Amino acid sequence: MPTALITGITGQDGSYLAELLLSKGYQVVGMVRRSSTISFERIQHIQDQIILAQGDLHDQSSLVSLIETYQPDEVYNLAAQSFVPTSFSQPVLTGEATALGVTRLLEAIRLVNPKIRFYQASSSEMFGKACEVPQRETTPFHPRNPYGVAKVYGHMITVNYREVHGMFAVSGILFNHESPRRGLEFVTRKITYGAARIKLGLAKELRLGNLDARRDWGFAGDYVCGMWMMLQQDQPEDYVLGTGVTHSVREFCELAFAHLGLDYRRYVVQDPSFFRPAEADHLVADPTKANQKLGWHPRVSFEELVRLMVEADLQRIAREMSA
């Protein structure tokens, strides 16, 4: 039975990845920080099948102890301060967790067992002011926010450990991927949750930022399969995962509200206070390498993704109301 350690297991990607690895016969160890407000909602249905162990990307010794104790075959680093607006207001915190945290984890692996296979969650936000469209593994980085900057550091330190120490360390450069488990602070969940509340008479409007911002959106459950595939290869390489198609926030609103029989134009208010100080350019993936080398392809379409999220939020809110 192989063992996998997942940081960020209580997040969207961590929960889907844990499900996938359990289905493949892994022992799954999830790293969680000591906190009085931690939420296990996303992994509640599998909590009795996994091991939860305390650790923190800010604390080198806790990482060494985790790896020594559980001797994982694979480590997936999904933990980060990943909300872009917060990275503007808390850039140092973002750098500590999202950048230096990667170094601490890689160094812990190198010290305990450098044969462990390591996956780093990189981001399309690293491309930012993109110099080419679409973006591939060789596209230069030009991040437009502190989160993207921190992710570039995490990405490049992973490359460094691979090249200098000969470790099997790879990065998945993932474009936006959503699901019903996405945090409410992210625009996609903000839309689907807000639309469901309006449908059920609990709200009258939904305030959003730039409706013309475009993103390459896919389903998180598809993307964690790509993470696992990267660690099963003979040679460590980095891969871009995305759909290759972009949609605007406006399109997302239109589909979400239409699914509920509503016209988004009657309820959505564009609020300048939600605009980013610097917006990323046209971010769209070229996943050719992942398609050809991994055999990875997204299965859930954009339209299916929006419907899936709206239905989940509608049911969730209805249950809360009845309770």
Side-chain angles (χ1 to χ4, degrees):
M1 178 186 290
T3 297
L5 170 64
I6 303 173
T7 73
I9 194 169
T10 59
Q12 169 189 256
D13 291 7
S15 65
Y16 280 111
L17 179 60
E19 287 177 347
L20 174 70
L21 295 178
L22 286 172
S23 73
K24 294 182 178 297
Y26 279 69
Q27 174 178 257
V28 176
V29 180
M31 187 183 87
V32 293
R33 288 183 300 160
R34 172 70 181 91
S35 172
S36 59
T37 57
I38 194 166
S39 171
F40 296 107
E41 179 185 356
R42 296 184 182 97
I43 58 171
Q44 191 172 15
H45 61 295
I46 56 170
Q47 200 166 336
D48 60 345
Q49 302 173 56
I50 61 180
I51 299 169
L52 295 178
Q54 286 189 10
D56 197 316
L57 290 181
H58 294 87
D59 179 24
Q60 180 85 42
S61 63
S62 71
L63 303 176
V64 170
S65 177
L66 262 180
I67 294 167
E68 285 180 336
T69 301
Y70 295 102
Q71 294 291 320
D73 301 281
E74 299 170 0
V75 172
Y76 296 84
N77 184 38
L78 310 185
Q81 192 302 100
S82 58
F83 190 46
V84 170
T86 297
S87 77
F88 283 108
S89 60
Q90 300 186 59
V92 175
L93 171 68
T94 301
E96 281 288 342
T98 308
L100 289 178
V102 186
T103 312
R104 296 186 188 103
L105 186 51
L106 280 165
E107 185 64 6
I109 292 170
R110 187 187 71 82
L111 291 171
V112 178
N113 179 7
K115 295 187 182 299
I116 293 170
R117 296 194 168 200
F118 175 79
Y119 172 85
Q120 165 62 14
S122 289
S123 168
S124 60
E125 288 289 339
M126 300 189 305
F127 296 122
K129 193 174 178 64
C131 66
E132 64 178 1
V133 179
Q135 293 86 45
R136 54 185 64 86
E137 292 78 7
T138 56
T139 302
F141 301 134
H142 189 150
R144 298 274 280 166
N145 52 67
Y147 167 73
V149 173
K151 279 294 186 182
V152 170
Y153 179 98
H155 180 90
M156 295 310 301
I157 200 66
T158 301
V159 172
N160 184 260
Y161 270 71
R162 179 169 73 221
E163 294 179 348
V164 173
H165 302 295
M167 293 169 57
F168 196 108
V170 305
S171 288
I173 306 174
L174 273 55
F175 281 66
N176 294 65
H177 46 288
E178 317 297 316
S179 76
R181 300 178 192 174
R182 194 55 144 154
L184 283 169
E185 69 272 22
F186 291 88
V187 68
T188 52
R189 269 301 303 289
K190 192 174 180 181
I191 293 169
T192 59
Y193 188 78
R197 281 177 54 82
I198 290 171
K199 178 66 176 179
L200 294 172
L202 299 177
K204 295 182 178 180
E205 69 175 23
L206 174 62
R207 305 186 77 84
L208 299 171
N210 183 9
L211 298 183
D212 296 316
R214 302 185 69 86
R215 291 292 183 271
D216 182 335
W217 276 305
F219 172 56
D222 290 339
Y223 287 56
V224 298
C225 295
M227 298 176 187
W228 176 80
M229 289 175 175
M230 291 178 207
L231 293 194
Q232 313 314 309
Q233 303 306 299
D234 293 332
Q235 298 297 324
E237 297 182 52
D238 303 326
Y239 295 87
V240 163
L241 299 186
T243 70
V245 180
T246 64
H247 299 274
S248 67
V249 174
R250 192 183 305 276
E251 289 176 73
F252 203 109
C253 288
E254 186 175 7
L255 279 173
F257 279 81
H259 184 67
L260 298 173
L262 303 173
D263 183 348
Y264 83 96
R265 292 171 294 186
R266 295 183 56 191
Y267 305 100
V268 174
V269 178
Q270 191 164 242
D271 187 339
S273 69
F274 290 117
F275 280 53
R276 290 184 181 181
E279 184 61 74
D281 287 345
H282 191 192
L283 298 182
V284 55
D286 178 359
T288 302
K289 181 180 177 182
N291 297 160
Q292 294 177 349
K293 285 198 168 187
L294 302 178
W296 179 86
H297 298 272
R299 298 178 180 179
V300 178
S301 71
F302 175 69
E303 293 76 14
E304 290 171 325
L305 172 65
V306 176
R307 290 195 295 268
L308 180 70
M309 293 178 66
V310 171
E311 280 298 320
D313 274 329
L314 193 65
Q315 293 172 21
R316 180 183 289 111
I317 296 170
R319 285 196 302 270
E320 291 171 355
M321 291 173 66
S322 62

